[in-house]
Amino acid sequence: MKNSNRVKKAIIPAAGLGTRFLPATKAQPKEMLPVVDKPAIQYVVEEAVAAGLKDLLIITGRGKRAIEDHFDRSFELEHYLESSGRLSELSRIQEIAQLADFHYVRQASPRGLGDAVSAAKSHVGNEPFAVLLADDLMDIKEGVLNSMLQAYSNAPSTILALKEVSDEEISLYGCVEIDGEDSSGLKIVTGIVEKPDLIDAPSNLAVMGRYVFTPSIFEALNEVTPGKGGEIQLTDAIDIQLKNEPVRGFVFSKGRYDIGNKIDYLRATIEIALTRPDIKDEILKFIKKISLS
Ligand code: G1P
């Protein structure tokens, strides 16, 4: 693999206000809501690390300090756990700060996802990079990010994670127009529109929160003016980029949760709990009990 084809950096935008989850997110970042016993953003960080991305830039904003604290050492807590002999909890806590090289940049005001990604420019420089949206939890076993990075290393281009959604859902997502596929089975993306009405949707393929970008996305972002919802949309920058260079889509079908949505958040909690040997049996017993009553 040519060195220039290797993606090393991941950006995790986490500056959004989390209004869909009020009042839980009034005084804490939505990214810190627990799924079983880990904050949501830790799953996203672990997914990036599992895919080989160890240089992580988290885009934060006002009220997001808890995220930085979470991925930092906590000497008081470590001392307490050590002196009370709780060594497995101690090592679990210590491992969090060692997961990756964490960097942070603050987005001055929440002006949209495109603006958040722009804030990564000086950290990323002229390299390809991945973007992982913290609202989208992915089952690592499905290997979506891994497959996208592999596809990038075989043939560099911007690559979007795509999933087929129902007519009712398409207006919640970026939606792509496609024109066939390349020799590796990736879709050729010829257009993209942010949260279209069903009647304007070019397909049922929606962009999920995983992207691999060539660095020219920053030039495209410079050209973007406020779009849907008055925000600087990443989708609009992709639409500019695809007019100048190939953009491809990797289609997957399973293992994604939108944890900004209450029902999906609860589904994530239950399904992830069912993968955990320490609590699986109790949860199953509980589900059977309530489904019989
Ligand atoms: C963002 C993007 C959208 C994408 C979605 C995936 O929207 O703007 O294009 O489809 O994430 O979750 P948001 O859900 O942040 O409004």
Side-chain angles (χ1 to χ4, degrees):
M1 190 194 306
K2 270 199 283 168
N3 203 31
S4 61
N5 290 6
R6 218 182 116 216
V7 180
K8 294 181 225 124
K9 293 177 178 167
I11 311 303
I12 304 179
L17 292 176
T19 48
R20 287 192 290 172
F21 243 108
L22 283 168
T25 50
K26 184 175 173 223
Q28 68 169 332
K30 61 175 174 169
E31 296 80 7
M32 290 300 292
L33 290 175
V35 177
V36 186
D37 55 5
K38 282 194 277 190
I41 194 168
Q42 190 176 332
Y43 291 89
V44 178
V45 164
E46 288 172 353
E47 180 194 344
V49 172
L53 306 174
K54 289 216 65 166
D55 182 325
L56 304 188
L57 177 70
I58 302 182
I59 318 278
T60 68
R62 241 185 110 67
K64 303 283 183 169
R65 283 279 290 280
I67 297 176
E68 292 181 45
D69 288 343
H70 182 72
F71 293 108
D72 198 359
R73 298 287 299 269
S74 172
F75 292 106
E76 239 178 15
L77 179 62
E78 287 176 29
H79 176 72
Y80 168 73
L81 292 173
E82 190 170 11
S83 55
S84 49
R86 293 161 72 175
L87 299 184
S88 74
E89 279 149 303
L90 174 66
S91 70
R92 257 192 110 192
I93 292 298
Q94 285 172 330
E95 278 162 18
I96 297 172
Q98 289 157 8
L99 274 171
D101 298 329
F102 293 98
H103 306 272
Y104 299 91
V105 61
R106 257 172 103 103
Q107 187 188 12
S109 58
R111 292 178 60 220
L113 180 59
D115 186 57
V117 173
S118 288
K121 186 172 187 308
S122 59
H123 181 80
V124 168
N126 199 29
E127 284 182 44
F129 63 101
V131 171
L132 291 81
L133 302 189
D135 271 354
D136 294 51
L137 285 202
M138 298 281 215
D139 184 342
I140 296 185
K141 281 198 306 302
E142 298 299 321
V144 172
L145 184 61
N146 263 320
S147 303
M148 293 168 72
L149 293 170
Q150 188 58 51
Y152 183 93
S153 73
N154 294 340
S157 80
T158 285
I159 300 174
L160 317 173
L162 301 175
K163 182 170 177 286
E164 200 173 307
V165 300
S166 66
D167 286 356
E168 293 72 45
E169 289 174 303
I170 197 68
S171 60
L172 300 172
Y173 296 101
C175 171
V176 293
E177 177 185 84
I178 53 159
D179 182 14
E181 40 184 70
D182 69 6
S183 56
S184 57
L186 267 69
K187 304 287 179 202
I188 313 282
V189 180
T190 50
I192 183 168
V193 44
E194 179 69 5
K195 304 195 175 102
D197 290 338
L198 176 60
I199 194 162
D200 301 318
S203 74
N204 273 83
L205 285 174
V207 178
M208 298 297 152
R210 299 293 178 271
Y211 311 76
V212 178
F213 284 114
T214 61
S216 73
I217 194 69
F218 292 120
E219 286 149 42
L221 278 165
N222 269 342
E223 290 177 39
V224 169
T225 51
K228 191 93 186 178
E231 297 189 343
I232 302 291
Q233 295 291 351
L234 184 58
T235 296
D236 294 343
I238 299 168
D239 199 44
I240 294 173
Q241 197 184 34
L242 61 79
K243 296 193 168 82
N244 301 312
E245 60 181 65
V247 170
R248 298 177 296 156
F250 175 82
V251 181
F252 73 100
S253 60
K254 286 203 309 253
R256 180 251 179 192
Y257 306 96
D258 171 8
I259 54 134
N261 168 297
K262 285 167 203 159
I263 300 296
D264 236 24
Y265 173 79
L266 294 172
R267 188 170 69 89
T269 304
I270 294 167
E271 289 191 10
I272 292 172
L274 288 174
T275 66
R276 288 269 305 260
D278 54 334
I279 49 177
K280 181 180 166 193
D281 292 345
E282 286 289 311
I283 297 282
L284 263 181
K285 237 191 268 168
F286 167 71
I287 294 171
K288 277 189 193 138
K289 194 170 150 206
I290 52 172
S291 57
L292 289 176
S293 62

